[in-house]
Amino acid sequence: MKLTGAQIVIQSLIKEGVNIIFGLPGGAIIDVYDALYDSPIKHILVRHEQAAIHAADGYARATGRVGVAMVTSGPGATNTVTGLATAYMDSIPIVVFTGQVPTKLIGNDAFQEADIVGITRPCTKHNFLVKDVNELAKTIKEAFYIAGSGRPGPVLIDLPKDVQQAKAEFEYPKEVRLAGYNPKYKAHIGQVKKAAQLIASARRPVIYAGGGVIYSKGANEELRRLAEGFSMPVTNTLMGLGGFPGDHPLWLGMLGMHGTYRANMAVIHCDVLIGIGARFDDRVTGKLEEFAPDAKIVHIDIDPASISKNVIVDVPIVGDCRDALLKLNQALSNINIDWEDKHRDWLEQIEEWKKEHVLSYSQPEGGPLKPQYVIEKLYELTKGKAIVSTEVGQNQMWTAQYYKFDRPRTFLTSGGLGTMGYGFPAAIGAQAAFPEKLVIDIAGDGSIQMNIQELATAVSYRLPVKVAILNNGYLGMVRQWQQLFYRGRYSQTSLEYSPDFVKLAEAYGAVGLRATKPDEVEATIKDALSKDVPVFIDFVIEREENVYPMVPAGAPLSHMLLV
Amino acid sequence: MRHTISLLVENIPGVLARVAGLFSGRGFNIESLCVAETIDPKISRITLVTNGDEQIIEQIKKQLNKLINIIKVVDLSEIESVEREMALIKVRAAPEHRAEILRIVDIFRGKVVDVSPDYYTVEITGDANKLQAFIELLRHFRIKEIARTGTVALPRARKAFKEKGEE
Ligand SMILES: Cc1cc2nc3c(=O)[nH]c(=O)nc-3n(C[C@H](O)[C@H](O)[C@H](O)COP(=O)(O)OP(=O)(O)OC[C@H]3O[C@@H](n4cnc5c(N)ncnc54)[C@H](O)[C@@H]3O)c2cc1C
Ligand SMILES: Cc1ncc(C[n+]2csc(CCOP(=O)(O)OP(=O)(O)O)c2C)c(N)n1
C-alpha cells in the first residue's frame, strides 16, 4: 500500500522506536502533524521552537537515545538554529524535521521560505533536503544512523510540503550504506600497547576524561578500572562530569578555567596525560603552549579530527572509549608493576595540593544566602540522585563544583556553545523521558528568562521539573568578568527589573517558592521536592558572589585566581 | 606548504557548498578548486589546492573526511602525481609583435585559439610553474584577460609491468 510522505515520516519514526517528539506545527509541516494525530507517538507541544530542540537534546543526553523534534518552515526552522548549534558543539544526537515550501517554490522567496539546509550546514553533523518521496524512508534511516553513530551530532531533514503529500510505497530499509561514512569503533591494538608502555614509564600520570566517556556506553566502568587498577588520579571536563564518581578518592574535580586547584596543578605537573573522549577545549587548556608542559600525551577519541587539533598528541588512539579502555586495561595488567607503590609519591603530592586549597565558601549564619550553600543542600537533599541541568554562567559553574555527579547522563549542560536558556527545556526533555525521576534545572535569573515560556509546557504535560533560580539580579558571570578584568564597570549586566518569579510560576499554574535566608533553604527545598508539579524556587542570593578558582581567559592554568 | 588534495564526492547538490563552507568556516585557505564528474556519473572529483603548516593540512584532511558526502580524500602531495592547469590568455597582438608571440606560444606548446585584429587568445596547459613562466613572458605584450582552470591532478599509475629482478 502506498503512503503519503507525511505518513512515511510517522511510520519511519515508529520503526526507529521513537515514542516521543517535541515540536510546534505550522502550515508547511501540517501534513505530518495530521499523520501524527492518530499515531501512538507522544508529542510535546512547546511554546518556542528553540525549546523543542533543547528538549530533544535533553532527552538524548539523559537517555542516550536519539532525540526528535519537528517544526514548520521559515521562522519555525530558523528558531531551531541555536538548539542545533548547541547540540552540535556538545556532540548530541538529535534528528530535527523542518517543513519546507513546495519544491517548485524553493528559491522563489516564497511565503515562510528559509534556506534552512544552507543555514544549518555548519551547525549540523549532516542535513538533507528531501525532494523525492521515494527517497524519504531511506533518508530518515540515514539521518538516525548518522546522528547516533560515531561522534554523535544533530541531523536536520527538510521536508517540502509536496513531498509530504506525494505517495510512495513504504519500505523501511534494514541497513544503511554510506560510502563516505564509516565510524571506527575498534581501537588499534598496536597503539594501545604503545600507550600502555608510555603509562608504565610514567611517574606522575593523570587521566583527563571528557564527554566521550559519557557517550560511550559502559566506558565509565572501564575508566574506573583504569583509575583504581593502576592507581591513577582522574580529572573531568565539564562535559565529563558523571563519568567518574564525584566522591571517589582518586577524583580531582573538574579541571580548566573554573577547575579545582589540585586538578589544574596535577595537569601542570604530570608527566603523562591520558585524554579520554575529551577535545582539549580552550576553557580546559588555558594558554595552549603551557598546557601540561612536561607531559607526553595519550589521546583516545572516536573522531580523528579531535586528535592533535589543539595539542599535539604522542600516542593517538582512534576508537570508542569503552573498547579502547578495555584493551588498555588489559594491556596494563599484563605489565608487572606495583602501581600503587609507583604512584604513591604522586598521589601524596596531590593530597598536599588538596590541603593547600579546596573549593570553599563561608555561609554566614543569618547573612546573605550563598549559591554554593544552596547547591550543597540540593546535593544533600536529593542524595546526589537527581538529573540536573543548568543554565549558563555562574549557576552552571557552581553546580559543576558543588553537585557531585556519580553516574553518566545525570548532568545536562551546554558546554561548547554555552547557551543561556538551555537548561529549562532540556530538563523538560529529560523529565518527559523519565517521568518518575527527579529533574532539577539550576538556573540564573538571566538565563531562565530566555525560555521561561516553557513553564506552560511543563504545567500542561505535568512534567514536575524543579527550577532552582540562583537570583543575583545580575548577568552574574559577565558581571564577574567586569569586576575582575574591566575595572568594575558593570556595563549592562544588572537585571534590575525581573519578574516576581513566585507570582510568575503561579500565573502559569505552577508552584512558586522563595528562600532568602540560609535557614530557609532546607525547608524550601524539601517543600519543593514533595510536590509532584513544576516548581520555581527563587533563591535570592548574595549579589556579587564570584566563582573561584578562575583562570583568566587565555592565561596558563598556573595563573589561577584562588581567593 | 602547498598541497593538492583530491576528493571523490557524491555527485549531489550541496556538496561543493559543504566543502567551501568548511574552508571558510574554519579559516582554511583555498587557492584553487576544480569540480567535474568522473566516469561514474554518481561521483564527482574535486581537486583543490590549499596551503598551511602540517597541523593545518592534517586538520583539513580530517575535517574533509568527516563530511558524509565525501567518499575519499587523497593528498596528492604525499604521493607521485601529475598536475595540470589550463589557461586562456587574451594578449594584445600588435602587428610588430605577432611573430614573437607565436614563437613563445610554440616553445611552450600552446595554441592560438582565437584571432582578432588586435588580440590573440592563447591556450596553454601545464603545471603551475610553466603557466607562471608563460604568463610572465606574455605580460610584456599586455595581457587583457586571463581565465585559469585551477589545478587538476591524478596519482601516477603504478608500473604496469614489473621489470625482471624487481621486488
Ligand atoms: C561559562 C562556561 C565555563 C566553562 N568552564 C569550563 C571549565 O572550567 N572546565 C571545563 O572542563 N569546561 C568548561 N566549560 C566547557 C567547555 O567550553 C567545553 O564544553 C568542555 O570543556 C568540552 O568538554 P570535552 O573536552 O569533554 O568535550 P566534549 O564536547 O564533550 O566532546 C567529547 C569528545 O569525545 C569524543 N567522543 C564522543 N563520543 C565518543 C566515544 N564514544 N568514544 C570516544 N570518543 C568520543 C568526541 O569526538 C569529542 O572529541 C565551560 C563552559 C562554559 C559555558
Ligand atoms: C544566549 C546567550 N547570550 C549571552 C551569553 C553570554 N553570557 C554568558 S554567562 C551570562 C550571564 C548569565 O546570567 P544568569 O543567567 O543570571 O546567570 P549567573 O551567571 O548570574 O549565574 C551571559 C550573558 C550566553 N552565554 N548565552
Side-chain angles (χ1 to χ4, degrees), chain A residues 50 82 391-396 398 417-421 443-450 470-479 493 495 541:
Chain A
Q50 183 190 348
T82 302
E391 302 296 337
V392 166
Q394 295 181 314
N395 58 85
Q396 179 183 30
W398 285 318
L417 200 66
T419 308
M420 292 170 69
D445 49 317
S447 301
I448 192 61
Q449 296 186 66
M450 288 211 182
L470 304 176
N471 186 351
N472 53 15
Y474 279 115
L475 296 168
M477 184 56 95
V478 183
R479 183 208 55 74
T493 41
L495 298 175
I541 59 163

Side-chain angles (χ1 to χ4, degrees), chain A residues 23-94:
Chain A
L24 193 148
I29 193 80
I30 198 166
D31 292 270
V32 180
Y33 272 86
D34 188 63
L36 178 72
Y37 191 68
D38 33 28
S39 87
I41 295 174
K42 180 168 180 185
H43 179 273
I44 304 260
L45 175 64
V46 295
R47 297 300 186 268
H48 187 297
E49 290 89 349
Q50 183 190 348
I53 312 303
H54 291 328
D57 166 319
Y59 173 95
R61 289 189 208 225
T63 61
R65 307 180 53 199
V66 176
V68 181
M70 191 172 287
V71 303
T72 192
S73 67
T78 54
N79 271 347
T80 67
V81 172
T82 302
L84 287 165
T86 302
Y88 183 67
M89 289 294 275
D90 290 344
S91 311
I92 305 304
I94 56 174

Side-chain angles (χ1 to χ4, degrees), chain A residues 121 127 303-305 307 309, chain B residues 17-18 55 59 62 66 70:
Chain A
R121 224 174 256 134
N127 60 19
D303 178 5
I307 293 177
K309 182 170 67 178
Chain B
R18 287 181 203 279
Q55 202 183 349
Q59 261 302 305
K62 285 172 169 176
K66 278 176 75 168
I70 293 192

Side-chain angles (χ1 to χ4, degrees), chain A residues 247 376-386 403-404 406-407 438 529:
Chain A
D247 52 4
E376 282 205 322
K377 280 287 161 201
L378 278 168
Y379 175 67
E380 202 182 297
L381 296 170
T382 59
K383 304 184 183 68
K385 296 295 175 236
Y403 200 102
K404 298 190 187 72
D406 61 357
R407 283 161 304 132
L438 176 58
L529 297 185

Side-chain angles (χ1 to χ4, degrees), chain B residues 120-144:
Chain B
Y120 281 165
T121 301
V122 181
E123 172 196 315
I124 174 95
T125 310
D127 63 16
N129 288 338
K130 176 176 166 189
L131 258 64
Q132 210 46 51
F134 185 69
I135 289 165
E136 284 311 315
L137 284 173
L138 289 195
R139 197 161 262 164
H140 187 65
F141 309 100
R142 285 208 19 240
I143 292 172
K144 188 164 180 243

